[in-house]
Amino acid sequence: MTISSLSTALRGSRLNWRRVRSAVAVAAICLSLAACAEQFQKGYILPTGALEQIPIGASQDQVLIVMGTPSTVATLNGEVFYYISQRAERAVAFMPQKVTDQRVIAVYFDKDRRVTRLANYGLQDGKIFDFISRTTPTSGQEMSYLTPLFKLISFR
């Protein structure tokens, strides 16, 4: 083997090592971005086995001991405790969050403050609506400012 052929072989191996190093660097960047996935838990965290500890007919105090303070309470036609939670994840730190699970656990009571039923509502049971628009949809015909004026003129 001559010196020039050895030199060419070494240059070729250097190029291969550069390619390997760049491939390893790209793989490391991809793995670090994939490892940035974050999960968020908001609201109530249900203890394991908590719902099994609340039989039908249990007292309201027993529910408070097992489940803790509810997220909100409704007092229409008896009393209802609502435990609300939401789980979201984000693949990369700068991406928006995506809701993966949403739970509303409802504990219904009768007039004697005894459990009548338990309900576990999930994301598929809900209805997505806009929290921020601050508009109330109404039924019927929308009237502009000019409609009463035209009605006034048409009667004469």
Side-chain angles (χ1 to χ4, degrees), residues 129-141:
F129 60 94
D130 185 11
F131 286 100
I132 301 175
S133 69
R134 292 185 171 88
T135 59
T136 306
T138 59
S139 60
Q141 184 180 13

Side-chain angles (χ1 to χ4, degrees), residues 15-148:
L15 288 177
N16 287 337
W17 279 109
R18 286 182 185 166
R19 288 180 184 162
V20 168
R21 276 191 269 165
S22 64
V24 168
V26 168
I29 290 171
C30 290
L31 285 175
S32 66
L33 285 178
C36 290
E38 295 177 284
Q39 289 190 349
F40 302 94
Q41 176 74 35
K42 300 173 188 172
Y44 181 76
I45 298 174
L46 180 68
T48 56
L51 292 178
E52 290 80 24
Q53 295 179 18
I54 302 173
I56 302 299
S59 69
Q60 195 175 54
D61 292 333
Q62 185 178 354
V63 172
L64 288 172
I65 290 170
V66 173
M67 300 280 287
T69 306
S71 302
T72 188
V73 177
T75 56
L76 185 67
N77 295 336
E79 202 165 284
V80 184
F81 285 179
Y82 293 105
Y83 297 90
I84 303 167
S85 68
Q86 186 180 65
R87 188 176 301 132
E89 65 182 26
R90 175 170 51 195
V92 182
F94 53 84
M95 297 297 288
Q97 293 181 12
K98 179 183 176 190
V99 176
T100 57
D101 188 31
Q102 188 166 297
R103 293 268 150 219
V104 176
I105 298 168
V107 183
Y108 295 91
F109 298 97
D110 61 6
K111 301 282 186 202
D112 299 326
R113 295 185 175 202
R114 296 281 178 189
V115 175
T116 58
R117 72 180 179 110
L118 296 169
N120 190 351
Y121 302 111
L123 190 61
Q124 71 279 1
D125 299 319
K127 186 177 184 183
I128 297 174
F129 60 94
D130 185 11
F131 286 100
I132 301 175
S133 69
R134 292 185 171 88
T135 59
T136 306
T138 59
S139 60
Q141 184 180 13
E142 288 190 26
M143 293 177 54
S144 69
Y145 293 109
L146 299 176
T147 305

